[in-house]
Amino acid sequence: MANTSATGGYVQPVSTATPEEDLALDVILQGMVAGITGLDGAMVRPRWQPVQPRVPEADVTWCAVGVTLIRPDDNAAITHDPTGVGADNLVRHEDVELLATFYGPQAAMRAAMLRDGLQIAQNREALTASGIGFVTAGDVRAVPELVNQQWVRRQDLPITLRRIVRRTYPVLNILSAPVSITK
C-alpha cells in the first residue's frame, strides 16, 4: 500500500493525470511527424528502440524522432485541496525538446514540411488533445552521414513542445494536533 502523509515516508502521486511518457509519447510524436510530412507511419521510427530495426536503403526517405530533453519550470505550484480527506495538487510546466532526424533523398524537404506544418493550427490539434503545445521548431541542419561507405542525406530538426504536468499526492488534512497553547 502506498504511503500517505499520515504514514510518513515517501509519497507517490495517486492521480493518473500525468502527461504521456515513454512509448505513449513516442506514439504521439510518430503520428505527428507522419501526419504532417506525409511519410508512411512505418518510415517514422522512435529514435531509440530496444531492438534496432534494419535501416532503410539510402534511396528511401524516413525519420527517426525522439525526446532529447525534458526541462521543468523552476517551481511547481502546489495547492492543498481540503475536500474529502485532503490532497496536495502539483502543477508545473515542462518544455519537451525532441529531435526529428530525416534521412534519404527528400530529407530536407520533409524536415521543412514538418517545421512549417507545425505552424498550422489544424496540424497541432492532436498535440493539443494530448495536453501538448507547440513552442518552436529550430533550424534544419544538414548532417550527412557515412553509412556503408556511402554518404546518406540527413537533416536534423530540433523542436520544442510544452506541456502541463498535474499530479495529486495523498497529503491529508490535519484534523487535530497534540499541542497545547500556554499564555
Side-chain angles (χ1 to χ4, degrees):
M1 181 173 169
N3 287 336
T4 69
S5 59
T7 60
Y10 296 106
V11 292
Q12 297 173 356
V14 294
S15 73
T16 57
T18 58
E20 303 294 345
E21 299 282 4
D22 304 311
L23 182 58
L25 183 56
D26 287 345
V27 169
I28 293 169
L29 299 177
Q30 189 267 352
M32 174 192 74
V33 173
I36 294 174
T37 65
L39 286 172
D40 182 87
M43 291 293 103
V44 179
R45 301 174 174 184
R47 179 170 293 286
W48 301 280
Q49 298 182 48
V51 176
Q52 288 297 317
R54 188 170 181 268
V55 174
E57 298 297 323
D59 62 346
V60 174
T61 301
W62 65 284
C63 178
V65 63
V67 173
T68 57
L69 178 70
I70 298 176
R71 180 182 304 111
D73 58 1
D74 288 336
N75 295 294
I78 301 170
T79 57
H80 185 74
D81 178 2
T83 58
V85 297
D88 275 3
N89 296 311
L90 175 141
V91 177
R92 78 168 339 128
H93 294 87
E94 294 177 332
D95 284 350
V96 179
E97 293 183 11
L98 57 116
L99 184 63
T101 300
F102 292 85
Y103 297 89
Q106 296 179 336
M109 179 190 76
R110 301 296 176 145
M113 284 177 69
L114 180 57
R115 177 199 62 211
D116 296 341
L118 282 165
Q119 299 295 321
I120 306 301
Q122 182 173 332
N123 288 340
R124 297 190 309 264
E125 286 177 357
L127 288 175
T128 303
S130 296
I132 301 171
F134 170 69
V135 176
T136 188
D139 299 332
V140 176
R141 184 173 306 278
V143 190
E145 197 169 305
L146 188 60
V147 178
N148 295 329
Q149 301 301 314
Q150 179 180 5
W151 285 104
V152 176
R153 295 177 63 89
R154 173 182 158 187
Q155 304 286 327
D156 286 350
L157 174 65
I159 298 169
T160 302
L161 306 174
R162 184 166 293 135
R163 66 185 181 181
I164 191 167
V165 176
R166 297 177 194 274
R167 301 185 201 281
T168 301
Y169 290 85
V171 178
L172 309 179
N173 293 329
I174 298 175
L175 301 177
S176 65
V179 298
S180 62
I181 300 174
T182 56
K183 292 185 178 188

